[in-house]
Amino acid sequence: MAPIYVASGQVVVPGELVAEGHYEVSGPHVVVGRRVYAKALSVAVVEKPKRVRLIPIKQRYIPAEGDLVIGRVIEVGPTYWLVDINSPYTAILQASEALPRLQQASRDLSEVFQVGDLVAARVLSFDFTHDPLLTVRDPKLGKVSRGLLVEVPPSRVSRVIGRRGQVANLIQEALKVELLVGRNGRIMVVGREPDGEVAAAYVIQRLCAQPYVEDPLEEARKLISQAAGGAR
Amino acid sequence: MERAHTLIPLPRREAIRSMIKRGERIDGRKPDEYREVKIEVGVAGNADGSARVSLGHTKAIAGVKASIGPPFPDSPNAGTLVVHAELIPVASPIFEPGPPDENDIELARVVDRGLRSAPALKLEDLVLVPAKHVWRVFIDIYPIDHDGNFIDASGLAAMAALLNARVPKYAVAPDGTLSKSEERVALPIADVPVFVTIAKIGDALVVDPCYEEELVMDARLTFVLTKDGSVCAMQKGGRGGFSVDEIVRALEMAQKVAPELRAKLEAAARAA
Amino acid sequence: MTGKGSVKLLTEDGRRLDGRALNEMRRLRIEAGVLKNADGSAYVEWGRNKILVAVYGPRETHPRHEALPDRMLLRCRYSMLPFSVKEERKSPTPTRREVEISKVIREALEPAIFLEDYPRTSVDVYIEVIEADGSTRVASITAAAVALADAGIPMMDLVAGVSIGKIEGKLALDINGLEDQYGEGDMPIAMMPRLGEVTLLQADGRFTREEIVQALSMAREAIQRIYEEQRRALKDRYSGVGLEYGSAGEG
């Protein structure tokens, strides 16, 4: 039996030996010969006897094609906007990805999105050599002017969505809000009433406070009943 | 550089400003409520005096070094005080490395004016041999985590470091030669000025702004207050202005919190 | 006189002036994640040394022309606060010593980092010495590696360092300020603890071939212990134990 050197919930430092032999390891790691080492500060989770997941404790958001992100306009150019997407790579939104063709040449772009505006956008492309390109061509995308912005570590966003969207659906139904979940760690909570927004923001923040949560759906359920109890 | 850190999303800006209109603040404080203040002295053992102050997440450290040297030619019967401050990148991504810029220099000069005009130190008691040997007191201040209002944090840290300072006792022979003893003594403290900054956001005034409040504020006003409650220095900053009425209200807010801040300074210095 | 050899650094029974044996290290304590704004941070107290390190990154490179097309740019700045020294106040302007130390620290850390993972970005390491008592460059490297890991920077190993000195003809582990000033030699060494690769090596003073071999072996053994403290600091911080720097002060 090939040895494994970590237990679930254990914090591993870069360079720490995780396992030796035939293991399926996900998350940042390096393989040298038969040995698997952690590559970044992470929490280890032993998912199956032969499968280990390393969840990085801090990781910047790296754009991937198709990701929904919530960006912040930081500069208006003549034919584009520069958008901070909470990543080491600043994104570009071309006018052609936001406006009908006829308006592209004539319109002052700051009338559409100004500096400081939040926009929901999708990543069109990114390959490290060029800055990521965004699009807002989709009914759900564009300027976000209502709701509460919640910021969480990007590596923990997936637990807010949950398997087949279960966690997000639960929050939305229980607290009567709509979630716009940016892969870049920015989540907009839009509700009919401010109380629901504040409660949902609390649930999301608490759900993402720890590097690892065993059962996000169950945890969300608990947090929702706490939040609802606190509101009364 | 780092535009992203000085730009607050517009919806967030609106939320902060409309909360303040209702008398609420994003961190749950009341308009006239200061953050939790922690003061620790003796944090840098090679300094003659040192302190670390935190206002919530904002932190600054200050150190005092004193040495004997000639006085300034225009004041032969006084010791000297030099205040230096630097907004180092450790404290925030908005601070860049490099020689002091206008923000560093403003900070150092505001603290310097507050300490000098109070006065915090009896400079005339720092003379060993007139026109020849006086104490030269240097205070160096470094914010190390910036969540707003580093002026107050710096001023409090500087004053705490002065209260904490102990320097060797010197004997002066009739012929003017100096001999150093093992005994260390406190610096001659005349007053304990405290720094209180008020931010104006819309029509509202709030004490001790946090970083997000500074990003949305119209202007700020710093008061330095002496023990008897009078003002010994002021500094207005930011692009907006204050009405006369607002200035009076701001002063009253500052006067309300000053005695408690001073009590904390004195308690921290005594505890060491 | 204040020159080398003018102060007796060993007592009759072979102890050092602070009571340590020749192969004994000073007390070392590291805390990770002590600052709110920085992406990663660490605070080290090592003997009387007190050093604070902040790391930012990976982030967009400014000025943009400094960005490297194929890898991350690592920048380091080591500085001593004016009141950190025993002597008179140090001028806040960077000295030639600080510039050189910044460079060797960067080159000690660089081999451990997967720079190619984030092309065109940069990582900045800011080191502030609050109180100095000898061996500050290796203490800085030790803390900087923790701060880099705390920032989530991909690395193949941590980096830890120690200085070996020569006092009264004998090698001494982890020399302090006095031993640095009056001793016959100083050899700062940093390694990747797991890999055993040396990433910083300097020497000031005369050493024989045998002494160099012995110094490296003393360092290697000490670095394993330093590495344990680095790991403890990182693990404790994220197992819900660590403190913010300065949060233990007077209420």
Side-chain angles (χ1 to χ4, degrees):
Chain A
M1 181 73 196
I4 179 160
Y5 300 100
V6 294
S8 268
Q10 186 184 321
V11 175
V12 293
V13 307
E16 190 163 332
L17 187 57
V18 173
E20 210 169 335
H22 296 287
Y23 277 91
E24 202 186 310
V25 178
S26 60
H29 67 279
V30 205
V31 180
V32 183
R34 285 167 50 83
R35 296 180 159 191
V36 184
Y37 299 93
K39 187 175 170 182
L41 187 68
S42 307
V43 174
V45 181
V46 183
E47 293 183 318
K48 286 182 184 168
K50 301 227 104 189
R51 197 161 87 193
V52 181
R53 185 153 62 106
L54 298 175
I55 307 170
I57 290 173
K58 290 186 193 167
Q59 193 177 42
R60 298 300 311 270
Y61 170 67
I62 299 303
E65 198 179 311
D67 278 1
L68 175 75
V69 294
I70 293 176
R72 183 165 49 160
V73 176
I74 56 172
E75 194 180 309
V76 183
T79 58
Y80 60 86
W81 295 268
L82 288 186
V83 183
D84 153 49
I85 53 167
N86 191 30
S87 165
Y89 303 96
T90 298
I92 298 166
L93 174 61
Q94 298 283 3
S96 58
E97 287 298 333
L99 295 173
R101 181 163 300 168
L102 282 175
Q103 294 180 19
Q104 285 167 24
S106 55
R107 248 177 112 178
D108 174 3
L109 296 192
S110 63
E111 287 169 14
V112 186
F113 303 128
Q114 59 171 317
V115 170
D117 272 347
L118 289 176
V119 288
R122 215 168 269 291
V123 178
L124 268 182
S125 66
F126 177 62
D127 66 358
F128 284 103
T129 56
H130 299 95
D131 285 331
L133 297 178
L134 301 179
T135 182
V136 293
R137 286 199 184 284
D138 192 354
K140 277 207 134 183
L141 304 179
K143 185 155 142 181
V144 184
S145 41
R146 270 187 346 113
L148 265 186
L149 175 68
V150 185
E151 298 192 75
V152 302
S155 59
R156 299 176 198 169
V157 164
S158 54
R159 79 174 68 144
V160 179
I161 301 169
R163 218 168 271 146
R164 295 186 305 277
Q166 281 175 314
V167 175
N169 288 341
L170 177 70
I171 297 174
Q172 296 188 122
E173 280 160 31
L175 299 169
K176 299 191 174 54
V177 291
E178 275 209 52
L179 299 185
L180 199 55
V181 184
R183 281 278 165 191
N184 58 338
R186 293 192 183 137
I187 300 169
M188 284 305 301
V189 184
V190 188
R192 268 160 282 166
E193 282 164 35
D195 281 0
E197 285 183 357
V198 172
Y202 167 83
V203 170
I204 294 167
Q205 233 137 25
R206 286 288 305 275
L207 191 60
C208 295
Q210 295 302 322
Y212 170 61
V213 172
E214 202 176 326
D215 184 349
L217 191 61
E218 186 46 41
E219 187 67 23
R221 249 187 221 116
K222 264 190 250 160
L223 289 167
I224 287 169
S225 66
Q226 273 176 31
R232 250 163 243 149
Chain B
M1 136 163 182
E2 294 298 339
R3 274 166 305 180
H5 294 278
T6 52
L7 244 184
I8 191 157
L10 290 176
R12 182 84 178 149
R13 165 183 295 269
E14 286 321 306
I16 296 171
R17 290 183 73 104
S18 72
M19 276 179 90
I20 281 175
K21 239 183 246 170
R22 300 195 298 270
E24 295 167 17
R25 298 172 72 174
I26 35 169
D27 52 10
R29 284 186 288 161
K30 297 185 193 70
D32 60 352
E33 189 178 339
Y34 217 87
R35 282 174 290 187
E36 192 190 357
V37 180
K38 286 179 183 160
I39 303 170
E40 216 182 332
V41 295
V43 298
N46 284 334
D48 295 310
S50 60
R52 178 172 58 216
V53 166
S54 49
L55 315 180
H57 287 296
T58 292
K59 295 189 180 72
I61 68 173
V64 169
K65 275 288 208 186
S67 57
I68 301 214
F72 291 130
D74 60 352
S75 37
N77 289 312
T80 68
L81 173 68
V82 174
V83 179
H84 170 261
E86 225 172 294
L87 302 170
I88 46 176
V90 161
S92 166
I94 64 171
F95 301 148
E96 303 219 29
D101 68 8
E102 58 177 30
N103 293 308
D104 303 276
I105 291 167
E106 183 195 28
L107 173 61
R109 287 182 55 88
V110 169
V111 175
D112 181 277
R113 274 205 294 281
L115 297 179
R116 198 178 292 280
S117 70
L121 282 180
K122 294 177 196 147
L123 290 178
E124 66 282 5
D125 286 3
L126 290 172
V127 180
L128 295 167
V129 179
K132 207 164 167 205
H133 298 304
V134 302
W135 277 109
R136 291 147 46 110
V137 178
F138 290 91
I139 308 179
D140 287 279
I141 309 165
Y142 292 85
I144 51 174
D145 215 354
H146 175 30
D147 187 21
N149 197 15
F150 54 68
I151 297 185
D152 290 7
S154 299
L156 287 166
M159 191 61 228
L162 279 179
L163 288 170
N164 175 244
R166 297 292 181 272
V167 297
K169 195 173 176 179
Y170 275 85
V172 186
D175 66 350
T177 54
L178 302 178
S179 55
K180 187 172 161 181
S181 78
E182 285 301 305
E183 196 189 337
R184 292 179 84 89
V185 293
L187 292 173
I189 302 291
D191 203 320
V192 182
V194 294
F195 294 69
V196 184
T197 296
I198 311 286
K200 177 182 165 178
I201 303 173
D203 294 326
L205 298 175
V206 296
V207 73
D208 178 29
C210 67
Y211 184 58
E212 279 194 312
E213 289 175 331
E214 286 185 347
L215 290 179
V216 306
M217 75 182 176
D218 302 284
R220 63 166 156 83
L221 184 53
T222 301
F223 296 97
V224 189
L225 298 158
T226 55
K227 270 185 170 166
D228 62 7
S230 58
V231 173
C232 67
M234 290 193 280
Q235 183 86 343
K236 180 259 167 186
R239 274 169 300 192
F242 287 88
S243 70
V244 172
D245 172 59
E246 282 169 340
I247 292 167
V248 174
R249 268 169 47 217
L251 174 57
E252 285 166 3
M253 275 172 106
Q255 281 170 324
K256 223 178 95 188
V257 297
E260 201 184 320
L261 291 174
R262 183 174 301 107
K264 284 205 164 141
L265 271 177
E266 288 173 332
R270 262 198 310 275
Chain C
M1 276 307 289
T2 57
K4 304 268 178 199
S6 64
V7 169
K8 213 168 148 35
L9 293 170
L10 284 177
T11 60
E12 302 286 292
D13 59 350
R15 296 246 152 207
R16 292 149 78 175
L17 294 187
D18 55 9
R20 283 187 292 157
L22 283 167
N23 63 350
E24 194 178 335
M25 234 174 67
R26 289 174 288 180
R27 183 182 171 276
L28 168 65
R29 174 84 190 175
I30 305 173
E31 283 180 55
V34 294
L35 298 175
K36 177 175 177 272
N37 277 329
D39 296 318
S41 57
Y43 174 65
V44 62
E45 286 192 7
W46 190 335
R48 286 188 43 217
N49 286 313
K50 295 189 177 68
I51 299 168
L52 182 64
V53 181
V55 167
Y56 291 94
R59 59 178 176 180
E60 194 170 67
T61 304
H62 291 275
R64 284 193 95 149
H65 70 259
E66 283 184 13
L68 306 168
D70 57 342
R71 64 200 148 98
M72 189 156 75
L73 174 69
L74 177 68
R75 293 182 287 211
C76 274
R77 197 188 71 155
Y78 162 98
S79 62
M80 298 186 91
L81 300 187
F83 49 80
S84 67
V85 293
K86 225 175 160 54
E87 310 77 62
E88 282 195 11
R89 173 186 187 256
K90 179 201 158 288
S91 156
T93 337
T95 58
R96 292 169 65 81
R97 174 184 172 275
E98 288 170 300
V99 172
E100 186 216 337
I101 290 180
S102 299
K103 177 176 187 286
V104 298
I105 288 177
R106 188 187 74 227
E107 290 165 345
L109 296 169
E110 227 164 341
I113 303 175
F114 287 98
L115 294 168
E116 63 285 2
D117 278 17
Y118 298 102
R120 303 191 289 132
T121 66
S122 58
V123 171
D124 291 284
V125 180
Y126 298 109
I127 300 161
E128 306 292 340
V129 179
I130 295 166
E131 184 172 345
D133 187 22
S135 307
T136 59
R137 75 192 67 186
V138 287
S140 298
I141 289 169
T142 302
V146 172
L148 282 163
D150 179 51
I153 305 296
M155 300 161 82
M156 64 180 77
D157 201 354
L158 299 181
V159 184
V162 71
S163 271
I164 309 292
K166 191 168 166 181
I167 54 180
E168 299 186 14
K170 297 191 173 73
L171 295 183
L173 180 69
D174 178 30
I175 55 165
N176 62 28
L178 201 71
E179 291 168 336
D180 183 28
Q181 194 179 349
Y182 298 106
E184 297 114 75
D186 169 25
M187 191 188 304
I189 299 165
M191 292 181 185
M192 291 196 260
R194 184 177 59 78
L195 302 169
E197 195 168 300
V198 175
T199 64
L200 171 107
L201 182 60
Q202 295 182 289
D204 182 1
R206 276 174 182 242
F207 294 91
T208 63
R209 181 185 177 281
E210 286 68 32
E211 281 169 339
I212 292 170
V213 171
Q214 197 200 335
L216 286 165
S217 130
M218 281 170 85
R220 170 128 211 204
E221 202 246 322
I223 279 168
Q224 289 309 315
R225 280 180 280 148
I226 299 163
Y227 178 54
E228 286 314 310
E229 175 61 10
Q230 290 178 307
R231 285 177 35 161
R232 187 208 55 74
L234 286 162
K235 289 178 184 225
D236 278 4
R237 174 64 181 81
Y238 295 101
S239 310
V241 182
L243 277 179
E244 228 182 273
Y245 174 64
S247 62
E250 280 297 305

